[in-house]
Amino acid sequence: PPEIRAAARERTRSGPAPVTDVAKLCVCDLLVAQCDVNCCCDPDCSAADFSLFTTCSVPIVTGDSRLCSQKAAIYSLDVEANPPERIFKLIDQVNPSIFCIHATNYKNALYFSSPEMPTSENFDQLLKEFGSATFSTEPDTWNMNIDAQNPPDANETYRYEYGVPIQTVDAFLRLPSPIVSSWCSDANPAAFLVNQATKCTRPVSMEKCGSIQALSMLFYINSSILAVNITVQSVVVQSLNGMRTSLNSSDVLRLPTILDELCINVVLGVSYHVTYTDVGEIIEAAASFVLGAINKEALSMQQSFEISFTQVNTKPVPLSGNPGYVVGLPVRAGFWPQGYPFPNTNKYGQLTILQSTPNQDCLAAQGARTPILFGYNMVSGCKLRITAAMKCQPLAQTLLDLLKGQSFPEYVASFGNSQAHDVLDWVPITHLHASEEGIYNTFQSSCQIPVSLEIAVKWTKYGSLVNPQAKIVNVTATITSTTLKQLPSGRERTIPITSSVVFTDISSPAEPGYKAWPTINAKLPFDFFFPFV
């Protein structure tokens, strides 16, 4: 009938009903029943949480990008509101490509197939297929002829995005780590641009040390990252007493060997360094090894693994936390030149103060600076010997340069991993001037000279109570001056010049109903963790 044909044509024009509700989809919601930092789609975040966000880590959420038309959830922040607010919009997004999916009519592809239940008849077969640390989730029938039709290209390149596992010719780049217990699991893949450092315990046997793959250098370099071979950058040999010796040649491949009741050339540590381009292509990969020895009494050994990334033609930027500051690491700082869209860090990207010298002579200490370490209250200083021949203005400028340095920064990074293009992550330094007398003396017989620099850093605990991150919210630099009267001819005077840094935690106390911070003097029964250590 005509009305049925018309209804069918209308359904064809309108497209299928969406399978996924993008308004409820949130890929950055990682913590259960907790607010994830800068995750604007996290349903666990309140309006108070959104007011502390600096950006939306996932600004747009869509379903299948291959569909011709679909809903898209748009998230943004209104930073001009007081307090800042999250903005949510649900729009219709049209795929500009002519090669798009109009109707998902293959219903079986929308669901997971029911897994095969283990029975007494198929248990051995399932154990053989899924019992190892890694296994394939695709049936053998899916790729019967794929390898024959499309052989892997040895010169193939791949463009990675942040967090994507790094592919090798056979699987993924391994970065062993402890999973459930302290034992090493080789199933942990290294992720692109994610710096990691792990330590785990490996069971060993003196008789089988030559056959345990994870103890050999070959296990970590025998797979190439698609078109890039992993080269050996350096090899360091560690003796049983901990002394390390660097080998002159890194081309020598040393395999585990039994010698005089010792198994030598065992891998104790591996450090990968990956170089990539601005479009996400890996162009170089190198591995540094630490080799050691185990004796016949050893039943296990500890291994350490690390991976770092550097963009080609750039120098690595040291971070002071990820994301919050780590106590003892330098406070990152920089400048915002006029006309630039975002701040620029100085040579080392650090906030510094005057460094004390053994002789305590201020004029000899010019140029000596020490970085300000997060969480460390610091005091430094020197002594200045003033004679009647010294002029006021040159002396005042010399002392100001001594206290602030040649290039005192204008901004401080809120987080330990703040990037320059995240302009809201940089806190301006407030400069104040004070006088010990309260007012500046204007008489010709005296002058004002700076004698101290006091830097006050206020920080707060940011994010989840379970894993709070240190965030700097305010920095104040106060220069205190004193009146220096004209000295009689032949007379001298010595005055102290000081610099200080004070860190203050301004976090609000836990609200009623929330778990309070544990006290540092809390004690547990001596057998609380028995039989675990």
Side-chain angles (χ1 to χ4, degrees):
E3 60 271 11
I4 297 180
R5 290 197 300 268
R9 286 195 298 269
E10 181 63 27
R11 287 195 300 268
T12 303
R13 282 195 297 268
S14 61
V19 178
T20 303
D21 186 0
V22 293
K24 298 180 180 179
L25 185 64
C26 190
V27 295
C28 58
D29 184 8
L30 305 179
L31 299 177
V32 179
Q34 298 175 22
C35 180
D36 293 80
V37 177
N38 287 340
C39 183
C40 295
C41 57
D42 191 343
D44 299 317
C45 296
S46 62
D49 296 324
F50 291 137
S51 65
L52 298 175
F53 285 6
T54 58
T55 184
C56 289
S57 58
V58 180
I60 180 171
V61 178
T62 60
D64 193 341
S65 60
R66 297 171 297 177
L67 293 176
C68 296
S69 177
Q70 61 177 319
K71 293 289 185 180
I74 307 297
Y75 298 92
S76 61
L77 291 176
D78 183 6
V79 296
E80 296 182 356
N82 188 17
E85 299 176 347
R86 184 201 68 169
I87 301 175
F88 167 73
K89 294 181 181 179
L90 193 62
I91 64 172
D92 292 320
Q93 189 177 60
V94 178
N95 193 339
S97 174
I98 62 173
F99 301 103
C100 58
I101 299 175
H102 180 71
T104 53
N105 51 9
Y106 182 51
K107 301 302 180 183
N108 292 336
L110 302 178
Y111 307 95
F112 290 106
S113 59
S114 300
E116 185 177 1
M117 300 301 296
T119 62
S120 57
E121 289 78 14
N122 64 1
F123 182 80
D124 292 337
Q125 184 267 335
L126 293 176
L127 182 64
K128 181 180 179 181
E129 183 178 356
F130 300 106
S132 61
T134 60
F135 54 84
S136 174
T137 59
E138 300 179 354
D140 295 337
T141 56
W142 286 11
N143 46 23
M144 288 176 54
N145 299 320
I146 290 179
D147 293 338
Q149 298 172 2
N150 301 308
D153 187 359
N155 296 321
E156 180 184 3
T157 58
Y158 188 86
R159 294 185 178 183
Y160 289 92
E161 295 181 356
Y162 175 85
V164 175
I166 299 177
Q167 297 183 11
T168 59
V169 173
D170 52 355
F172 296 100
L173 181 63
R174 304 181 187 94
L175 194 71
S177 65
I179 302 297
V180 179
S181 62
S182 62
W183 299 108
C184 294
S185 171
D186 298 322
N188 179 47
F192 185 64
L193 295 185
V194 179
N195 296 332
Q196 299 184 63
T198 63
K199 289 184 179 180
C200 56
T201 303
R202 181 86 61 181
V204 296
S205 172
M206 179 72 177
E207 295 76 14
K208 300 179 181 180
C209 76
S211 60
I212 300 177
Q213 294 184 350
L215 303 184
S216 172
M217 293 176 59
L218 278 176
F219 183 70
Y220 305 98
I221 62 173
N222 60 357
S223 295
S224 61
I225 302 177
L226 297 184
V228 179
N229 293 323
I230 302 177
T231 60
V232 179
Q233 189 174 39
S234 65
V235 178
V236 175
V237 177
Q238 178 176 303
S239 63
L240 290 176
N241 60 7
M243 183 176 295
R244 293 190 174 188
T245 304
S246 178
L247 300 182
N248 294 328
S249 176
S250 60
D251 298 332
V252 180
L253 183 64
R254 296 187 170 226
L255 301 179
T257 307
I258 297 178
L259 179 65
D260 296 334
E261 298 186 348
L262 292 176
C263 183
I264 61 175
N265 299 331
V266 173
V267 174
L268 301 180
V270 184
S271 178
Y272 292 107
H273 187 77
V274 179
T275 305
Y276 65 96
T277 65
D278 55 353
V279 295
E281 292 181 354
I282 295 178
I283 60 174
E284 184 179 346
S288 301
F289 289 90
V290 177
L291 305 181
I294 57 174
N295 52 35
K296 61 181 181 180
E297 288 83 11
L299 300 177
S300 64
M301 58 172 287
Q302 187 180 66
Q303 292 180 307
S304 61
F305 303 93
E306 186 178 356
I307 186 170
S308 59
F309 299 84
T310 302
Q311 185 175 336
V312 65
N313 299 327
T314 61
K315 295 182 179 180
V317 178
L319 301 180
S320 297
N322 189 23
Y325 275 98
V326 176
V327 175
L329 295 183
V331 174
R332 303 178 63 233
F335 306 87
W336 201 327
Q338 186 176 4
Y340 278 70
F342 44 76
N344 293 334
T345 58
N346 55 18
K347 182 178 180 181
Y348 299 102
Q350 298 173 353
L351 185 64
T352 63
I353 63 170
L354 171 67
Q355 181 178 357
S356 299
T357 57
N359 56 13
Q360 293 291 302
D361 186 0
C362 287
L363 298 181
Q366 283 184 307
R369 312 289 295 178
T370 185
I372 296 176
L373 306 180
F374 181 82
Y376 285 10
N377 296 338
M378 307 169 65
V379 177
S380 63
C382 58
K383 294 181 180 180
L384 177 66
R385 186 171 60 90
I386 300 177
T387 62
M390 289 184 174
K391 301 296 182 180
C392 177
Q393 294 301 327
L395 177 61
Q397 187 61 46
T398 299
L399 291 178
L400 189 62
D401 294 340
L402 178 70
L403 291 171
K404 300 181 66 174
Q406 295 297 323
S407 55
F408 194 79
E410 301 170 347
Y411 289 82
V412 168
S414 296
F415 295 100
N417 67 345
S418 296
Q419 301 298 318
H421 54 78
D422 295 329
V423 295
L424 296 179
D425 274 1
W426 293 83
V427 178
I429 299 177
T430 302
H431 295 272
L432 300 178
H433 295 272
S435 175
E436 292 182 348
E437 288 76 17
I439 58 173
Y440 288 98
N441 194 305
T442 58
F443 292 106
Q444 297 295 330
S445 59
S446 62
C447 70
Q448 289 280 334
I449 59 172
V451 292
S452 70
L453 169 64
E454 301 173 2
I455 300 177
V457 181
K458 296 180 180 179
W459 64 280
T460 183
K461 298 182 180 71
Y462 179 84
S464 169
L465 290 176
V466 178
N467 184 25
Q469 303 294 311
K471 175 185 178 181
I472 293 178
V473 296
N474 181 268
V475 179
T476 303
T478 303
I479 292 287
T480 302
S481 301
T482 187
T483 301
L484 180 64
K485 296 182 179 181
Q486 183 68 37
L487 294 175
S489 179
R491 299 287 299 274
E492 294 182 356
R493 180 185 174 187
T494 302
I495 60 174
I497 307 296
T498 60
S499 295
S500 63
V501 180
V502 176
F503 287 84
T504 305
D505 182 4
I506 61 171
S507 302
S508 301
E511 298 180 7
Y514 286 85
K515 183 179 179 181
W517 297 99
T519 55
I520 59 175
N521 60 349
K523 299 180 69 175
L524 294 173
F526 72 95
D527 58 348
F528 183 83
F529 293 104
F530 183 82
F532 304 103
V533 178

